[in-house]
Amino acid sequence: EVDWERWGEMPAPLQWIGRQPNQGKATWNGTISALGANTWAASGEWNAINWAGEYNSTPWKFNGSGSIHDEELASTDFNATWGETGIMGSVNVPNPVTQMKQGTSEMTLNLHLDHWTYSSGEDDSPAMDLKILNMPKGADWTIQTEIDHLQYELLALENVQTKGRITPEKWTVQSFSAKALQGILAGDASIEFQSPNEAMVIAHPTLKGCDLNELFFAFKDFDQKTLRAEHLTGTFGASGSVKFKWINDLSWQPKTLDVLGKSTIAGGKLKNLEAFDDIADFLAENRMMAPLVDPEDLRKRLKFVEFDNLESAVYITKESVQLPQIDIRSTAMNISLAGTYGFDESL
C-alpha cells in the first residue's frame, strides 16, 4: 500500500520520476518478478483510492480498480473529476511492462463525461490550451467518448458521441454525432498539430434541422455586422468540408476558414435588416436607377420578408463568402444573384 502524502518523504533515489498524486492511496495485491536479462513479469489486482492532484492548475481526482498481468493492464470501471467535470469509464493497456520499458503509451479508453465547457474568456472553466491536447511521444490511444453536454463558447452540444484515435501528431475523429442548434450534427474530423501553438482542424460535417437564429447567435454572427441573428428565422441544413486553424488558446481564426459545401434554408424569414433600408434610400436618391420602383413601398415590403426554400453551394476562403447564381423567391421580390461577400462587410 502506498500513501501518496508520505511519498515525498522517501529518499530521492526511490521517488517516482514524473507527475504523481499528492493525496490518496494505491494498493497492490500480486507479484512482480525479475526474470533476469532485464526482463520483468507482473500480475495482480490494484486499487486507486481517493487520488487527487493538480495538472496545469486544474485539480483532478481519481478512484478506480482493476487487474494487471504481463499482457494487459485493465480498469473495468473508474470515476474521476477534472476541474468541475465528472468522468467515468474503463481503460485497457496492452503489454504494460513492455510499454513502461519502451516509454510508449498504447491504450483503449471508453469515457463518459457529464459535461465539458470551454470559453476563451475569463471564467471558471478549466484552463484549456493546445499543450493539454498534445500527447507525449509514443502515445497511441483508441478512444470512444460520450459527453452529456459540451459547451464551446456559445455553441451547446448535447448527447455527443465520438470514436477516434489520438497520437502526438494528430487526433482523428472517425465519427461524431450530437444534438446541436435544435438539429443533428454528424460527421468526421481531425486535428493536426503543426506546432506547439498551432493546429489545423479539418471536418466533414452534416447538419440537419438547425435553427438559423441560433446558428448565427452561437457563432457571434460570423464576425460580421450586416446579417445578424436578430434578423433571421428558419431551418438550416448543410454538408461539406470545413478547415480552420486553432491557436494556443483554442480560439478559431476566421482568416483561416475554408468551406466547400452545400446549404439549404427552409421557412426562411428576414426582418428589420438595415441593409434593405440602405437599398430603399439609394433608390430614393437615384430615381433614374429604378424609375418604376416606389422606394417607400419597397421599404415597407422589405421590413419582413419570407422566402421559398433555398439550396445553394457555398464557398468560403480568405474571409470571403462566394455564392454562385441562386434564385430567391420571396414575398418582397424575386431575385437572381451571384457574388462575393467579405467578412469586412464588402459586397
Side-chain angles (χ1 to χ4, degrees):
E1 180 176 297
V2 175
D3 185 332
W4 291 118
E5 295 182 63
R6 301 293 302 276
W7 186 261
E9 301 173 12
M10 295 181 68
L14 299 178
Q15 287 280 3
W16 175 20
I17 299 174
R19 297 184 180 90
Q20 63 195 46
N22 53 35
Q23 295 179 30
K25 293 183 179 181
T27 65
W28 165 269
N29 183 17
T31 63
I32 300 176
S33 307
L35 306 179
N38 200 27
T39 302
W40 295 77
S43 64
E45 305 292 324
W46 61 269
N47 282 274
I49 305 166
N50 298 326
W51 287 19
E54 191 173 276
Y55 181 82
N56 279 8
S57 301
T58 301
W60 60 267
K61 296 180 180 180
F62 180 87
N63 282 275
S65 62
S67 62
I68 182 173
H69 50 82
D70 295 338
E71 292 79 25
E72 179 185 64
L73 183 153
S75 173
T76 52
D77 60 86
F78 66 81
N79 63 81
T81 60
W82 176 267
E84 298 297 323
T85 299
I87 306 170
M88 298 185 297
S90 62
V91 61
N92 183 286
V93 181
N95 303 309
V97 177
T98 301
Q99 288 202 55
M100 185 179 298
K101 183 178 178 181
Q102 296 176 346
T104 57
S105 174
E106 180 183 346
M107 66 180 71
T108 300
L109 289 144
N110 287 280
L111 302 176
H112 184 172
L113 284 66
D114 58 10
H115 76 281
W116 188 267
T117 300
Y118 168 78
S119 173
S120 58
E122 295 183 359
D123 56 19
D124 296 330
S125 60
M128 194 69 175
D129 56 35
L130 280 181
K131 293 178 182 178
I132 291 180
L133 300 185
N134 274 279
M135 294 292 104
K137 185 179 179 181
D140 190 348
W141 298 4
T142 299
I143 186 167
Q144 183 169 320
T145 307
E146 296 181 4
I147 307 175
D148 295 336
H149 179 91
L150 189 153
Q151 189 80 33
Y152 180 85
E153 298 285 4
L154 298 177
L155 177 62
L157 304 176
E158 306 287 343
N159 299 330
V160 182
Q161 299 187 27
T162 69
K163 293 181 180 179
R165 181 185 178 194
I166 299 175
T167 65
E169 299 80 20
K170 185 177 182 180
W171 287 38
T172 301
V173 181
Q174 295 151 350
S175 66
F176 65 82
S177 64
K179 293 181 179 179
L181 307 169
Q182 299 189 32
I184 300 295
L185 174 66
D188 63 79
S190 66
I191 305 172
E192 297 183 18
F193 298 96
Q194 301 178 326
S195 74
N197 300 313
E198 190 175 77
M200 180 66 73
V201 180
I202 301 173
H204 304 96
T206 297
L207 184 61
K208 297 180 180 179
C210 156
D211 184 274
L212 196 56
N213 174 274
E214 290 191 16
L215 175 69
F216 271 69
F217 176 80
F219 287 94
K220 300 177 182 178
D221 297 323
F222 297 93
D223 284 344
Q224 51 83 46
K225 298 179 181 178
T226 302
L227 185 61
R228 305 186 300 276
E230 65 198 71
H231 300 133
L232 293 160
T233 57
T235 302
F236 177 79
S239 61
S241 64
V242 179
K243 181 171 70 173
F244 59 87
K245 282 186 179 179
W246 266 344
I247 59 174
N248 190 51
D249 66 354
L250 295 188
S251 59
W252 74 287
Q253 303 302 292
K255 291 182 179 180
T256 66
L257 179 64
D258 278 304
V259 176
L260 175 61
K262 180 180 70 174
S263 64
T264 60
I265 298 176
K269 298 179 179 65
L270 278 171
K271 61 180 181 180
N272 299 323
L273 182 63
E274 293 87 351
F276 286 163
D277 275 333
D278 294 338
I279 294 173
D281 291 341
F282 177 81
L283 294 177
E285 295 168 5
N286 299 271
R287 296 299 297 145
M288 292 185 66
M289 296 291 294
L292 301 180
V293 175
D294 181 346
E296 293 309 313
D297 177 65
L298 179 61
R299 189 191 306 276
K300 291 178 182 178
R301 286 188 286 126
L302 291 176
K303 282 291 184 183
F304 183 82
V305 179
E306 298 181 70
F307 46 88
D308 290 346
N309 294 351
L310 299 178
E311 182 173 329
S312 174
V314 178
Y315 311 105
I316 302 176
T317 185
K318 297 178 180 178
E319 297 188 279
S320 176
V321 182
Q322 302 173 35
L323 293 173
Q325 181 165 324
I326 180 174
D327 296 323
I328 303 174
R329 300 182 64 84
S330 74
T331 54
M333 65 181 76
N334 299 328
I335 303 174
S336 293
L337 65 84
T340 302
Y341 176 77
F343 285 10
D344 61 358
E345 301 183 40
S346 61
L347 186 63

